mmCIF file of all heavy atoms in Angstrom:
data_model
loop_
_atom_site.group_PDB
_atom_site.id
_atom_site.type_symbol
_atom_site.label_atom_id
_atom_site.label_comp_id
_atom_site.label_asym_id
_atom_site.label_seq_id
_atom_site.Cartn_x
_atom_site.Cartn_y
_atom_site.Cartn_z
ATOM 1 N N LEU A 769 -34.678 14.690 43.998
ATOM 2 C CA LEU A 769 -35.455 14.196 45.136
ATOM 3 C C LEU A 769 -36.226 12.938 44.750
ATOM 4 O O LEU A 769 -36.345 12.000 45.549
ATOM 5 C CB LEU A 769 -36.403 15.284 45.648
ATOM 6 C CG LEU A 769 -35.741 16.564 46.169
ATOM 7 C CD1 LEU A 769 -36.798 17.567 46.595
ATOM 8 C CD2 LEU A 769 -34.772 16.269 47.287
ATOM 9 N N LEU A 772 -33.812 10.073 44.790
ATOM 10 C CA LEU A 772 -33.590 9.604 46.165
ATOM 11 C C LEU A 772 -34.722 8.697 46.626
ATOM 12 O O LEU A 772 -34.498 7.690 47.291
ATOM 13 C CB LEU A 772 -33.446 10.795 47.121
ATOM 14 C CG LEU A 772 -32.182 11.620 46.987
ATOM 15 C CD1 LEU A 772 -32.244 12.842 47.889
ATOM 16 C CD2 LEU A 772 -30.948 10.786 47.295
ATOM 17 N N SER A 773 -35.943 9.049 46.248
ATOM 18 C CA SER A 773 -37.094 8.216 46.589
ATOM 19 C C SER A 773 -37.012 6.856 45.912
ATOM 20 O O SER A 773 -37.326 5.822 46.518
ATOM 21 C CB SER A 773 -38.389 8.930 46.193
ATOM 22 O OG SER A 773 -39.497 8.136 46.487
ATOM 23 N N ASP A 774 -36.564 6.835 44.669
ATOM 24 C CA ASP A 774 -36.393 5.564 43.952
ATOM 25 C C ASP A 774 -35.317 4.705 44.610
ATOM 26 O O ASP A 774 -35.462 3.487 44.723
ATOM 27 C CB ASP A 774 -36.039 5.816 42.485
ATOM 28 C CG ASP A 774 -37.179 6.451 41.704
ATOM 29 O OD1 ASP A 774 -38.334 6.412 42.180
ATOM 30 O OD2 ASP A 774 -36.901 7.002 40.616
ATOM 31 N N ILE A 775 -34.226 5.337 45.053
ATOM 32 C CA ILE A 775 -33.149 4.599 45.713
ATOM 33 C C ILE A 775 -33.633 4.024 47.037
ATOM 34 O O ILE A 775 -33.287 2.901 47.386
ATOM 35 C CB ILE A 775 -31.917 5.509 45.916
ATOM 36 C CG1 ILE A 775 -31.289 5.856 44.565
ATOM 37 C CG2 ILE A 775 -30.883 4.845 46.821
ATOM 38 C CD1 ILE A 775 -30.197 6.907 44.633
ATOM 39 N N ASP A 776 -34.475 4.759 47.762
ATOM 40 C CA ASP A 776 -34.970 4.220 49.040
ATOM 41 C C ASP A 776 -35.887 3.026 48.806
ATOM 42 O O ASP A 776 -35.843 2.050 49.547
ATOM 43 C CB ASP A 776 -35.631 5.303 49.892
ATOM 44 C CG ASP A 776 -37.119 5.445 49.695
ATOM 45 O OD1 ASP A 776 -37.553 5.463 48.538
ATOM 46 O OD2 ASP A 776 -37.846 5.540 50.696
ATOM 47 N N ASN A 777 -36.706 3.077 47.768
ATOM 48 C CA ASN A 777 -37.579 1.933 47.468
ATOM 49 C C ASN A 777 -36.759 0.706 47.085
ATOM 50 O O ASN A 777 -37.086 -0.413 47.476
ATOM 51 C CB ASN A 777 -38.550 2.276 46.344
ATOM 52 C CG ASN A 777 -39.614 3.247 46.781
ATOM 53 O OD1 ASN A 777 -39.999 3.295 47.950
ATOM 54 N ND2 ASN A 777 -40.096 4.060 45.863
ATOM 55 N N VAL A 781 -35.794 0.980 52.328
ATOM 56 C CA VAL A 781 -35.738 2.027 53.335
ATOM 57 C C VAL A 781 -36.924 2.937 53.074
ATOM 58 O O VAL A 781 -37.268 3.198 51.930
ATOM 59 C CB VAL A 781 -34.415 2.824 53.229
ATOM 60 C CG1 VAL A 781 -34.395 4.000 54.164
ATOM 61 C CG2 VAL A 781 -33.232 1.917 53.493
ATOM 62 N N LYS A 782 -37.556 3.411 54.132
ATOM 63 C CA LYS A 782 -38.733 4.259 53.965
ATOM 64 C C LYS A 782 -38.398 5.700 54.333
ATOM 65 O O LYS A 782 -37.942 5.976 55.441
ATOM 66 C CB LYS A 782 -39.874 3.749 54.842
ATOM 67 C CG LYS A 782 -41.146 4.524 54.665
ATOM 68 C CD LYS A 782 -42.271 3.963 55.505
ATOM 69 C CE LYS A 782 -43.523 4.801 55.308
ATOM 70 N NZ LYS A 782 -44.578 4.409 56.225
ATOM 71 N N ILE A 783 -38.640 6.605 53.382
ATOM 72 C CA ILE A 783 -38.461 8.031 53.659
ATOM 73 C C ILE A 783 -39.726 8.541 54.332
ATOM 74 O O ILE A 783 -40.803 8.508 53.756
ATOM 75 C CB ILE A 783 -38.184 8.832 52.369
ATOM 76 C CG1 ILE A 783 -36.852 8.447 51.756
ATOM 77 C CG2 ILE A 783 -38.207 10.332 52.669
ATOM 78 C CD1 ILE A 783 -36.521 9.158 50.466
ATOM 79 N N GLU A 784 -39.581 9.003 55.566
ATOM 80 C CA GLU A 784 -40.708 9.589 56.295
ATOM 81 C C GLU A 784 -40.894 11.053 55.899
ATOM 82 O O GLU A 784 -42.015 11.529 55.768
ATOM 83 C CB GLU A 784 -40.477 9.488 57.811
ATOM 84 C CG GLU A 784 -40.290 8.082 58.323
ATOM 85 C CD GLU A 784 -41.558 7.252 58.270
ATOM 86 O OE1 GLU A 784 -42.656 7.831 58.300
ATOM 87 O OE2 GLU A 784 -41.436 6.024 58.197
ATOM 88 N N GLN A 785 -39.773 11.751 55.733
ATOM 89 C CA GLN A 785 -39.827 13.169 55.374
ATOM 90 C C GLN A 785 -38.554 13.536 54.623
ATOM 91 O O GLN A 785 -37.472 13.030 54.920
ATOM 92 C CB GLN A 785 -39.948 14.025 56.634
ATOM 93 C CG GLN A 785 -40.188 15.475 56.359
ATOM 94 C CD GLN A 785 -40.478 16.236 57.646
ATOM 95 O OE1 GLN A 785 -40.028 15.873 58.706
ATOM 96 N NE2 GLN A 785 -41.241 17.298 57.528
ATOM 97 N N ILE A 786 -38.705 14.424 53.640
ATOM 98 C CA ILE A 786 -37.564 14.902 52.868
ATOM 99 C C ILE A 786 -37.706 16.411 52.705
ATOM 100 O O ILE A 786 -38.780 16.904 52.351
ATOM 101 C CB ILE A 786 -37.467 14.169 51.504
ATOM 102 C CG1 ILE A 786 -36.210 14.555 50.751
ATOM 103 C CG2 ILE A 786 -38.696 14.402 50.668
ATOM 104 C CD1 ILE A 786 -35.907 13.664 49.580
ATOM 105 N N THR A 812 -32.436 17.183 53.970
ATOM 106 C CA THR A 812 -32.643 16.457 55.220
ATOM 107 C C THR A 812 -33.644 15.338 54.980
ATOM 108 O O THR A 812 -34.729 15.576 54.451
ATOM 109 C CB THR A 812 -33.170 17.412 56.322
ATOM 110 O OG1 THR A 812 -32.231 18.475 56.476
ATOM 111 C CG2 THR A 812 -33.330 16.683 57.636
ATOM 112 N N LEU A 813 -33.263 14.125 55.375
ATOM 113 C CA LEU A 813 -34.117 12.958 55.212
ATOM 114 C C LEU A 813 -34.363 12.324 56.580
ATOM 115 O O LEU A 813 -33.427 12.133 57.349
ATOM 116 C CB LEU A 813 -33.445 11.911 54.326
ATOM 117 C CG LEU A 813 -33.127 12.297 52.894
ATOM 118 C CD1 LEU A 813 -32.134 11.327 52.293
ATOM 119 C CD2 LEU A 813 -34.388 12.297 52.081
ATOM 120 N N ASP A 814 -35.615 12.028 56.868
ATOM 121 C CA ASP A 814 -35.967 11.222 58.033
ATOM 122 C C ASP A 814 -36.366 9.862 57.486
ATOM 123 O O ASP A 814 -37.320 9.752 56.715
ATOM 124 C CB ASP A 814 -37.108 11.848 58.825
ATOM 125 C CG ASP A 814 -36.683 13.140 59.514
ATOM 126 O OD1 ASP A 814 -35.508 13.241 59.903
ATOM 127 O OD2 ASP A 814 -37.523 14.042 59.656
ATOM 128 N N LEU A 815 -35.624 8.826 57.883
ATOM 129 C CA LEU A 815 -35.786 7.495 57.318
ATOM 130 C C LEU A 815 -36.061 6.463 58.408
ATOM 131 O O LEU A 815 -35.670 6.656 59.558
ATOM 132 C CB LEU A 815 -34.502 7.072 56.590
ATOM 133 C CG LEU A 815 -33.935 8.035 55.568
ATOM 134 C CD1 LEU A 815 -32.478 7.721 55.282
ATOM 135 C CD2 LEU A 815 -34.736 7.952 54.296
ATOM 136 N N THR A 816 -36.694 5.359 58.026
ATOM 137 C CA THR A 816 -36.820 4.203 58.903
ATOM 138 C C THR A 816 -36.480 2.957 58.101
ATOM 139 O O THR A 816 -36.740 2.902 56.899
ATOM 140 C CB THR A 816 -38.243 4.044 59.488
ATOM 141 O OG1 THR A 816 -39.189 3.947 58.421
ATOM 142 C CG2 THR A 816 -38.612 5.203 60.385
ATOM 143 N N PHE A 825 -28.309 1.935 50.992
ATOM 144 C CA PHE A 825 -28.921 3.186 50.562
ATOM 145 C C PHE A 825 -27.853 4.273 50.405
ATOM 146 O O PHE A 825 -27.764 4.936 49.370
ATOM 147 C CB PHE A 825 -29.992 3.602 51.576
ATOM 148 C CG PHE A 825 -30.644 4.924 51.313
ATOM 149 C CD1 PHE A 825 -31.561 5.070 50.279
ATOM 150 C CD2 PHE A 825 -30.366 6.019 52.108
ATOM 151 C CE1 PHE A 825 -32.185 6.288 50.050
ATOM 152 C CE2 PHE A 825 -30.986 7.239 51.885
ATOM 153 C CZ PHE A 825 -31.890 7.370 50.850
#
Side-chain angles (χ1 to χ4, degrees):
L769 298 178
L772 290 174
S773 179
D774 293 343
I775 292 171
D776 92 314
N777 289 331
V781 174
K782 183 178 179 188
I783 294 178
E784 301 290 335
Q785 188 173 29
I786 186 167
T812 303
L813 298 164
D814 291 328
L815 308 161
T816 57
F825 176 73

